[in-house]
Amino acid sequence: MRREHRLNALILGLVLAVPLWAWATSEPFTITLATRAVIFAIAGVGLNLALGTGGLVSLGHAAFFGIGGYAMGILASHAQTYTPLFEWPFVLEGTKSMPVIWLLAVAASALAALMIGALSLRTSGVYFIMITLAFGQMFYYFMISWPAYGGEDGLSIYVRNGFPGLNTLDPIQFFALSFAILCAVLYLVTRLRASAFGLALGAARQNEARTRAVGIDPYRVRLLAFTLSGAITGLAGALFADLNRFVSPVMFSWHTSGELIVFIILGGVGRLMGPVLGAALYVALEHHLGGLSDYWQIYFGAILLGVVLFARGGLIGLIVGRETAHD
Amino acid sequence: MTFVLLVEQVLNGLQFGVMLFLMAAGLTLIFGVMGLINLAHGSLYMVGAFAAATVAGATGSFLLALAASLGAAALAGALVELTVIRRLYGRDHLDQVLATFALILIFSEGTRWLFGSFPLYLDIPPALSGPVALPFGIDYPRYRLALIGIGLAVAAALFLLISRTRLGIQIRAGEEDREMIAALGVDISKLYTLVFALGAALAGLAGALIGAIQSVQVGMGEPVLILAFVVIVIGGIGSIRGALVGAILVGLTDTLGRALLPVLFGLVMEPAAAMSAGASLASMAIYILMAAVLILRPRGLFGRA
């Protein structure tokens, strides 16, 4: 485990060092790429709570990522046009303030995760995968056919939302903000995994019958994990929307769900920093392979296939060896 | 909404349903026998459609195009099974999801590389074009009626294959107990390749048949794949009968929802608001159906406990 801790520190250090170096040499595009990686990492860490620790293979986390994104898009677009979202039973105005947007993004995605989880967790295994995928697609088709917020074209926001005391339009400041959130989320997940709840969640993954026998209801533990996981992914969605100043139903598409799982697998399932390494690697590959060929996804698919077939445990597993202690 | 229009929509729903069945049957067979979740099933659907469009473009024959779709999809399926899928049978579902997701990326980009991003078109054969007169003064497209017929015929053939033939016995035995039939001398790896190729051929056929109504393009398989998942969740994974019932339920719910909900909302709302509310709800109707089935029967309508 020692080696993994050192590796974790190294990964986080690199994620911080690359944009700082880019800032020093004034390459704002590299900072934007790093911010993209950090935001994907937050979403991946959120999914990893359900998928890695809880063993819940959700192929529908794009729903929460998209809800977070649209929470930002809807609030900011109303603030842009000075029209309230609704006037009854109380007046809700739009806002350009990130903390308020985050709060609503987290609340809305947690609520959606609670509802999807309550239904999906009645099943397990392949059923769970297919059902989460189907609910994710439900949101995708709903956003496409709902004309109020741009439908298929999505929503553009002209100016990035604000955070008290920061100039969020400066790439390095927005990166710092995202990085701080990643660190906070990593800290939260570390604490959660060490708590009684986290241990119960891991136990339910490893042996459901024994977990039940000691008096823990796996359904409730999993539902809580799924809800928290969806909330974290929703927060990442709001940040992602702010990074691009654009939201569209693509955030809801099942390719997004697939990519979130890819981050986890590339890095290592159930590893704390797995999604961070995976997301960084994904963004780097996307950028470099994308520069080499228009058909970069063929190569990416081949790499992914290689990792799944031959490098079980992902890259962190490859470097530090298979996990010996249980989590 | 008149009676004639309603009958037409029911037929459309039926047509959509039987095509979904061709997809769902392969998925459910592959899951039932090999325990594999195959996201790349939609890619095989796309392979069938592209093969059919290419052959139809070269020869002008729709029958040859259908044969090509079956052959190309079965070949692609067998090839993928031998090289990749085979290594996934003992793995957990997460690895299967990821590896078949990687296959989708490879298939989609490979097809885009070969054929470009512009859609191809596959023409309806002259013998099946135009409307056909049904009782009660209903004119219905002949091709869509033929699709219902082909779909039901394939379903019947599949039931016979599974209940009456030696291969069918092996498939059912494989669903029951994999180790035991291997111990009894059945060449299990050959059986797996065969089942995978069979499922692929059905998907390819569906791709070619639907390709003649819609355009043939990269990514066409994915919406159908997800609907096929909804179908087998509703029907119960591993059950061919469940796939048929689920497919027709989903086909009818989706088609009728899109046709009727805007009209129903129109009774209580202004026309414009009714259109958008009806369309939004209709796009969610099959998922609501799926949620309802899950609440009542978490293992699907025909799933085993």
Side-chain angles (χ1 to χ4, degrees), chain A residues 122 126-127 261 308-309, chain B residues 31 91 98 222 237 295 299:
Chain A
R122 295 167 58 89
V126 174
Y127 275 95
I261 297 187
V308 175
L309 291 181
Chain B
F31 183 78
R91 300 288 192 88
L98 254 294
E222 291 166 17
I237 300 176
I295 290 168
R299 290 268 137 193

Side-chain angles (χ1 to χ4, degrees), chain B residues 180-193:
Chain B
M180 185 53 98
I181 75 157
L184 289 174
V186 173
D187 184 347
I188 196 95
S189 60
K190 210 193 295 168
L191 177 70
Y192 285 179
T193 312

Side-chain angles (χ1 to χ4, degrees), chain B residues 272-292:
Chain B
M275 275 305 288
S276 74
S280 305
L281 188 62
S283 70
M284 301 169 76
I286 54 168
Y287 305 102
I288 296 168
L289 174 72
M290 181 183 79

